[in-house]
């Protein structure tokens, strides 16, 4: 299945300070039914924050990339469809592409992202 890169949703990051150390927080801003929303985003595991920092490099905003998937249960023949998510950047100097898988931070963030994508 092809990736859907035609959506106009961006993952953003901003810094915050905790215990005199600077960190990044990642999120998606949007509007659902006239309400401004902010969806928390994170890598699939704690080590993924290093990957996100590498992908973002000097950028603070990158497009959300949808990666559709289908899983077929061979016993029941039931097909489950959905999307996984990533951010991707390209180093203009070297031409290398960097990618990191991401996911909503909480169940409520997943619900909001689903609403935003509809």
């Amino acid at each position: 299945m092809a990736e859907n890169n035609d959506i106009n949703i961006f993952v953003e990051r901003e810094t915050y300070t905790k215990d005199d150390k600077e960190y990044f927080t990642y999120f998606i801003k949007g509007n659902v039914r006239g309400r401004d929303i902010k969806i928390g985003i994170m890598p699939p595991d704690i080590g993924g924050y290093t990957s996100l920092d590498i992908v973002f490099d000097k950028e603070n905003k990158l497009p959300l990339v949808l990666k559709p998937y289908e899983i077929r249960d061979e016993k029941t023949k039931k097909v489950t469809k959905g999307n996984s998510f990533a951010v991707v950047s390209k180093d203009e100097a070297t031409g290398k592409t960097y990618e990191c898988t991401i996911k909503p931070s909480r169940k409520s963030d997943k619900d909001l992202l689903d609403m935003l994508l509809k």
Side-chain angles (χ1 to χ4, degrees), residues 54-59 61-63 65 87-100:
I54 290 169
V55 172
F56 270 83
D57 193 34
K58 294 178 180 102
E59 300 295 323
K61 188 176 185 178
L62 291 173
V65 177
V87 286
V88 178
S89 67
K90 186 172 185 175
D91 186 315
E92 296 301 325
T94 65
K96 286 186 178 180
T97 300
Y98 298 92
E99 179 176 335
C100 183

Side-chain angles (χ1 to χ4, degrees), residues 14-70:
E14 61 189 16
T15 58
Y16 70 95
T17 304
K18 180 179 178 185
D19 301 326
D20 295 325
K21 196 168 180 186
E22 199 169 85
Y23 299 94
F24 288 109
T25 181
Y26 297 86
F27 56 89
I28 295 170
K29 289 182 181 177
N31 189 291
V32 175
R33 289 187 140 179
R35 295 181 187 173
D36 290 331
I37 58 171
K38 189 173 181 179
I39 302 165
I41 295 297
M42 63 185 288
D45 55 48
I46 298 300
Y49 283 101
T50 301
S51 299
L52 268 178
D53 290 345
I54 290 169
V55 172
F56 270 83
D57 193 34
K58 294 178 180 102
E59 300 295 323
N60 285 320
K61 188 176 185 178
L62 291 173
L64 175 69
V65 177
L66 299 183
K67 296 185 166 204
Y69 66 83
E70 273 187 21

